Amino acid sequence: MDIAKEIYHLNYSHRDEVSPGRALQRPGRRNAQVFMRRRPQDCLSLLEIALVLNTMGCIHSLSCKPKVFRESIAVLDVKASIDSTLTSIDESSSVVLRYRTPHFRASAQVLVPPIAGKDSWRVGWIQACNHMKFYNHYGDLGMSSWELPDLVNGKIPAISDSDGVNYPWYGNTTETCTVTGPTKRDTKFTVSMNDNFYPSVTWAVPVSDSNVPMLTGIHRDQSFTTWLVAINMASDDLVILHTIKWRMKLEIEIKPTLPLGQRAKLQEPFAQEQPQVLDKNEPIPPSALVKPNANDAQVLMWRPKNKPAVVVIPPKRR
């Protein structure tokens, strides 16, 4: 709206209204008073209308801007913990020892504002492994080791811990929620995830034909970063909402000469450190968003004390 033109038009339309047919004559005192009395009111009305319309236009414009929408996605509550239960050990098999660690758990309640148009936003958890030491000791013979070569060699700072199907997401059930526009109201939902270790470790040396139990200890130390993220499914615009750091440490001492059920004993730390929800978000490394994930990239090595290392199980994907 051109306010100056409207005021100009109002001015001359009122002159015509006050003294029709006398455009060349000076209006009389009474008509001039009427003109002067009405003009400020009408101008004020025009200004008020213009300001309201302009304000409405600004609000509408801001609500449609991607940056404003991104900043409007709200996390109402976020929780992260590791169960207080101890790692359990299963010696029921004569071939392998199994153990189950407590669960890491994360949940968040999220509020997504109304979505204009047909945009689609997915909110959920992305996780990456930053560090892994996973050693199974066999006395003086050596040790087997699950390794992530690119992580060990420093080629990447982290590797995806996706389920291997729904990259880059950790999972696609309770772990994510998709909101597709247009929506007229706020959308509130909860996304949650959990993670733990439940491996099997051979009693005997993994490259030996012998079934004699030789396993003497297990050492495991892994660190993870878990992000709560919103991604625009069309543009791939990514918003980090929260960052969580957590770690799982494990020590098991084993006396292989004892009968099954009496060999393994959990060592300190018995309880795990609780996760940290960071005050400041950390960026997601590109390697945490793409294939391969940790399960497909890991390799099992046999590292004898006085001989070259041997690949026992190669990676599924490089």
Side-chain angles (χ1 to χ4, degrees):
M1 177 182 293
D2 191 330
I3 298 175
K5 288 183 179 179
E6 290 296 331
I7 294 174
Y8 178 86
H9 175 73
L10 178 66
N11 184 350
Y12 282 92
S13 65
H14 278 308
R15 286 176 186 266
D16 292 340
E17 178 183 334
V18 172
S19 50
R22 300 168 61 185
L24 298 178
Q25 298 181 20
R26 181 182 297 273
R29 179 181 298 273
R30 181 176 180 277
N31 288 340
Q33 289 175 347
V34 171
F35 169 70
M36 294 303 293
R37 184 168 62 249
R38 295 179 62 182
R39 181 180 172 188
Q41 293 175 346
D42 291 331
C43 290
L44 182 59
S45 297
L46 276 174
L47 286 171
E48 288 174 343
I49 293 170
L51 287 171
V52 169
L53 290 175
N54 285 344
T55 302
M56 290 174 64
C58 290
I59 292 172
H60 177 73
S61 175
L62 287 173
S63 67
C64 295
K65 289 183 179 179
K67 183 178 180 181
V68 174
F69 182 87
R70 293 164 83 253
E71 294 173 351
S72 298
I73 300 174
V75 180
L76 305 180
D77 184 45
V78 61
K79 296 177 181 177
S81 64
I82 294 178
D83 294 348
S84 59
T85 55
L86 301 182
T87 296
S88 61
I89 301 172
D90 179 3
E91 295 185 35
S92 60
S93 169
S94 61
V95 179
V96 295
L97 174 148
R98 297 185 181 93
Y99 63 85
R100 188 189 299 270
T101 66
H103 282 81
F104 161 77
R105 303 181 191 275
S107 67
Q109 189 176 58
V110 182
L111 188 73
V112 174
I115 299 175
K118 296 182 179 180
D119 269 3
S120 183
W121 284 83
R122 181 168 295 169
V123 179
W125 298 101
I126 293 174
Q127 181 164 282
C129 177
N130 311 100
H131 168 81
M132 182 172 81
K133 288 184 178 180
F134 186 177
Y135 305 144
N136 305 311
H137 296 278
Y138 292 85
D140 294 333
L141 298 175
M143 70 177 185
S144 65
S145 174
W146 283 103
E147 301 174 8
L148 296 165
D150 286 351
L151 199 61
V152 172
N153 297 331
K155 291 183 178 180
I156 56 175
I159 188 166
S160 168
D161 200 26
S162 166
D163 62 1
V165 178
N166 300 286
Y167 286 95
W169 307 103
Y170 182 77
N172 197 31
T173 52
T174 64
E175 296 87 359
T176 62
C177 181
T178 303
V179 183
T180 301
T183 57
K184 295 182 179 180
R185 300 180 179 85
D186 293 342
T187 304
K188 185 166 67 173
F189 53 86
T190 298
V191 286
S192 62
M193 64 162 287
N194 66 79
D195 190 12
N196 79 324
F197 308 147
Y198 184 40
S200 299
V201 183
T202 58
W203 292 110
V205 173
V207 294
S208 171
D209 294 330
S210 170
N211 291 325
V212 177
M214 301 297 292
L215 182 64
T216 56
I218 296 172
H219 169 82
R220 189 163 185 173
D221 185 356
Q222 279 186 255
S223 298
F224 298 87
T225 305
T226 307
W227 294 271
L228 179 64
V229 173
I231 296 180
N232 185 299
M233 303 304 289
S235 66
D236 289 331
D237 186 19
L238 186 151
V239 186
I240 300 175
L241 303 173
H242 270 292
T243 306
I244 299 170
K245 294 279 194 180
W246 65 281
R247 183 179 186 181
M248 191 76 76
K249 297 176 70 176
L250 177 75
E251 292 283 349
I252 298 177
E253 183 184 75
I254 300 159
K255 296 180 179 180
T257 57
L258 294 179
L260 277 174
Q262 302 177 28
R263 295 175 182 172
K265 185 177 181 181
L266 185 66
Q267 304 295 304
E268 292 185 354
F270 299 114
Q272 302 296 324
E273 295 179 9
Q274 288 301 306
Q276 291 183 315
V277 180
L278 303 187
D279 294 329
K280 184 178 181 181
N281 285 319
E282 291 189 358
I284 304 177
S287 56
L289 299 172
V290 296
K291 299 178 180 180
N293 68 350
N295 285 340
D296 288 347
Q298 65 184 354
V299 54
L300 179 62
M301 301 294 297
W302 168 246
R303 297 188 177 279
K305 287 204 170 179
N306 300 314
K307 295 180 181 179
V310 177
V311 176
V312 181
I313 301 177
K316 296 178 183 178
R317 186 190 296 267
R318 294 183 183 275

